[in-house]
């Protein structure tokens, strides 16, 4: 009896050893888990960062609507990600799309995915999906109705973001091709920049576009937003190593250095063009620098990160100058910041990538082919994102108008879409009580309006 | 010589300024005011309480004009500020005793004639 138990145990142990020798079972690393928990929270902070960045740049009457477009993505895109988005992006699937094996977060448990729990990997990717959808808002603020906007970003997460995430990170065709995208230059920034441009065109221009200068109502908010983005981006890029290791440290340093260089070059460009280094320009420069280094953060040396940041300022700066002379109403320059910035970053990754720093060699290290691969990734993302976003918007437009009418835009999107104001002074506001018994006996029918002037 | 005081919708200010510019009316003062002229109250909601906004944001224009410009100015504002709904605003034409331009000490008609640069 005893001997048979012992022999069974021995057999089991032998089987376990055999399995271990064949393929060591993935284990969860506490250190990696700790860093990824922090990174996930950092990336989640980027969504309010975008809300403040965009919210400060719009007019006062649209401030709440703009910030709500960002904050609401937590709800809509977060839930959709859990229901189906994660599975479509990271399920095994094929070259172009995942599958439904993780739908409704089935099979997403505490087992190791790499060296962190699978559930944490899913949460980290969810924070990316939310912030990416948020970026689109910048092109259609001041005019797109809230309902159709939510429908668009929800569908976009499923039909545009998830497939492209699968191509690059989920084992799809771009990753097999060898395209380098460390933290989402193509998946997040080019993708969102292109979708935003398409949305700006399909939704149409703002009521007073081209007649009235639409000035930022709170530049300190824009700077606060840029600062929150900078902070959160250490999780976005540093966390993309998916481990607490040298690669994460390298990405962290690159993420710190690149926007610094961008800021210096941007202020110089601003100074030579306008005789002033502007605060809105500085906020934009920080975001552009972060976008440019995103695909390269874990593949280039710190020196290259500085160069990339400095070079990256130029295309985006002139894209903004060019855009403001066109009839394209990309309200907050998502195309210039994220689209052009993302393309610059993706292509420069093919130039500066260095095998000694964790990447594949790029052009500067004797491998011009990498630049071609990067260009393929860029082109594929542009084409798919533009076509799919266009189709989604046109489909929504068949059900409901995309843009608010001129009257609603004139009163402001805060009142027309949300029934709230960002900066109400409360004068002339009467409390409406719904319960009959709680009504005060005598309330003046109207507040004193000094003779009803208007 | 009259002082024209116009209360208009804030979202119509741009149209009115453009219209006045076309009518060559130059020199005006603009202020943000709160007012009520019988339009439907806007209803807003804050933390579960429903609030009726009885005072609406309006913009007040004050324009000192010489006699030949009275009709032109009023017409320009009437056309540009109108949406046809309650709450479009009012124009008051008020008699003025004297006008002085501080810089040149000019008086009356000369003071409301646009300065040449």
């Amino acid at each position: 009896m005893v001997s048979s138990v012992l022999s069974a145990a021995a057999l089991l142990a032998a089987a376990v050893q055999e399995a271990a020798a064949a393929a060591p079972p993935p284990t969860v690393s506490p250190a990696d888990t700790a860093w990824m928990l922090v990174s996930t929270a950092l990336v989640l902070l980027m969504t309010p960062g975008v809300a403040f960045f965009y919210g400060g740049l719009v007019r006062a009457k649209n401030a709440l609507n703009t910030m709500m477009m960002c904050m609401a993505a937590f709800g809509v895109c977060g839930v959709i990600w859990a229901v189906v988005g994660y599975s479509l992006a990271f399920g095994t699937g094929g070259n172009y799309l995942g599958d439904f094996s993780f739908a409704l977060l089935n099979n997403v448990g505490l087992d190791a995915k790499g060296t962190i729990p699978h559930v944490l990997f899913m949460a980290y990717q969810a924070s990316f999906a939310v912030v990416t959808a948020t970026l689109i808002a910048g092109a259609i603020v001041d005019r797109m109705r809230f309902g159709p906007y939510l429908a668009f970003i929800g569908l976009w997460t499923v039909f545009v973001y998830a497939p492209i995430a699968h191509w690059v990170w989920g084992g799809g065709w771009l990753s097999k091709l060898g395209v380098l995208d460390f933290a989402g230059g193509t998946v997040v920034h080019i993708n969102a920049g292109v979708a935003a441009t398409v949305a700006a065109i399909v939704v149409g221009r703002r009521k007073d576009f081209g007649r009235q200068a639409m000035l930022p109502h709170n530049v300190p908010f824009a700077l606060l937003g840029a600062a929150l983005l900078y902070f959160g981006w250490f999780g976005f890029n540093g966390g993309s190593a998916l481990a607490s290791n040298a690669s994460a440290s390298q990405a962290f340093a690159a993420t710190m250095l690149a926007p610094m260089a961008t800021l210096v070059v941007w202020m110089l460009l601003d100074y030579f063009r306008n005789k002033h280094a502007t605060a809105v320009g500085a906020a934009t420069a920080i975001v552009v620098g972060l976008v440019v280094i995103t695909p390269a953060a874990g593949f280039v040396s710190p020196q290259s990160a500085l160069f990339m940041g400095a070079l990256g300022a130029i295309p985006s700066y002139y894209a903004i100058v060019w855009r403001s002379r066109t009839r394209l109403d990309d309200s907050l320059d998502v195309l210039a910041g994220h689209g052009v910035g993302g393309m610059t970053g993706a292509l420069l990754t093919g130039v500066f990538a260095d095998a000694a720093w964790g990447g594949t060699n790029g052009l500067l290290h004797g491998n011009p082919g990498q630049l071609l691969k990067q260009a393929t990734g860029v082109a594929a993302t542009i084409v798919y994102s533009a076509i799919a976003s266009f189709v989604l918007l046109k489909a929504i437009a068949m059900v409901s108008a995309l843009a608010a009418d001129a009257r609603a835009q004139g009163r402001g999107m805060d009142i027309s879409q949300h029934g709230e104001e960002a900066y109400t002074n409360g004068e002339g506001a009467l409390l409406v009580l719904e319960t009959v018994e709680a009504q005060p006996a005598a309330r003046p029918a109207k507040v004193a309006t000094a003779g009803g002037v208007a | 010589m009259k002082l024209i005081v116009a209360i208009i919708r804030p979202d119509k200010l741009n149209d009115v300024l453009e219209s006045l510019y076309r009518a060559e009316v130059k020199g005006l003062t603009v202020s943000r005011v709160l007012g009520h002229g019988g339009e439907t109250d806007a209803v807003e909601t804050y933390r579960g309480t429903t609030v009726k906004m009885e005072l609406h944001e309006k913009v007040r224009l004050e324009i000192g004009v010489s006699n030949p410009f009275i009709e032109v100015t009023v017409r320009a504002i009437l056309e540009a500020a109108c949406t046809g709904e309650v709450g479009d605003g009012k124009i008051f034409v008020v008699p003025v005793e004297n006008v002085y331009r501080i810089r040149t000490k000019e008086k009356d008609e000369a003071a409301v004639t646009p300065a040449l640069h």
Side-chain angles (χ1 to χ4, degrees), chain A residues 182 246-247 249-251 253-254 296-304 352-361 365:
Chain A
F182 190 70
S247 175
S249 314
Q250 174 194 347
F299 303 134
V300 297
S301 67
Q303 295 89 333
S304 299
F352 287 101
D354 187 347
W357 286 90
T360 314
N361 276 334
H365 300 91

Side-chain angles (χ1 to χ4, degrees), chain A residues 21 53 80 110 159 165 185 196 200 209 225 259 281 328 368 444 446:
Chain A
F53 183 62
I80 285 177
L110 301 178
F159 291 105
F209 180 78
L328 170 64
K446 245 170 208 169

Side-chain angles (χ1 to χ4, degrees), chain B residues 21-51:
Chain B
Y21 182 81
R22 282 217 202 87
E24 299 192 359
V25 177
K26 287 160 193 173
L28 53 86
T29 309
V30 176
S31 38
R32 294 173 156 275
V33 292
L34 289 176
H36 191 278
E39 63 262 59
T40 336
D41 304 313
V43 175
E44 303 183 2
T45 313
Y46 295 92
R47 284 180 295 132
T49 52
T50 307
V51 170

Side-chain angles (χ1 to χ4, degrees), chain B residues 68-102:
Chain B
F69 269 97
I70 299 169
E71 193 61 29
V72 182
T73 308
V74 169
R75 195 94 355 247
I77 299 173
L78 282 179
E79 307 246 292
C82 182
T83 68
E85 282 172 59
V86 180
D88 273 354
K90 293 218 169 28
I91 302 175
F92 304 93
V93 181
V94 186
V96 171
E97 202 138 306
N98 290 117
V99 181
Y100 296 92
R101 176 175 277 144
I102 295 175

Side-chain angles (χ1 to χ4, degrees), chain A residues 307-378:
Chain A
F307 277 117
M308 283 184 66
L311 289 174
I314 299 163
S316 290
Y317 185 90
Y318 286 101
I320 290 178
V321 172
W322 165 81
R323 204 276 309 154
S324 61
R325 288 157 188 217
T326 64
R327 298 283 294 153
L328 170 64
D329 190 8
D330 174 4
S331 318
L332 307 178
D333 285 309
V334 184
L335 175 62
H338 296 275
V340 175
M343 291 173 215
T344 311
L347 296 176
L348 287 182
T349 303
V351 175
F352 287 101
D354 187 347
W357 286 90
T360 314
N361 276 334
L363 179 68
L364 279 187
H365 300 91
N367 179 17
Q370 188 59 37
L371 187 55
L372 196 67
K373 288 178 186 171
Q374 295 300 112
T376 310
V378 170

Side-chain angles (χ1 to χ4, degrees), chain A residues 61 207-208 211-212 407 410-411 415 419-421 424-425 427-432 434 445-449 452-454, chain B residues 7 9 11 14-15 18 34-37 39 42-46 49-55 58 85 87 89-90 92:
Chain A
K61 64 181 179 181
K207 177 170 93 73
D208 290 319
R211 295 173 60 214
Q212 186 187 339
R407 181 77 196 281
R411 289 174 70 205
I415 294 178
E420 281 174 299
E421 292 170 71
T424 174
N425 60 11
E427 279 173 53
L430 276 190
L431 196 59
V432 178
E434 271 134 20
K446 245 170 208 169
V447 292
T449 56
V453 169
Chain B
I7 314 287
R9 293 181 189 277
D11 45 299
N14 219 39
D15 297 314
E18 216 174 272
L34 289 176
H36 191 278
E39 63 262 59
V43 175
E44 303 183 2
T45 313
Y46 295 92
T49 52
T50 307
V51 170
K52 234 198 242 175
M53 306 306 280
E54 294 230 334
L55 293 181
K58 300 285 170 185
E85 282 172 59
K90 293 218 169 28
F92 304 93

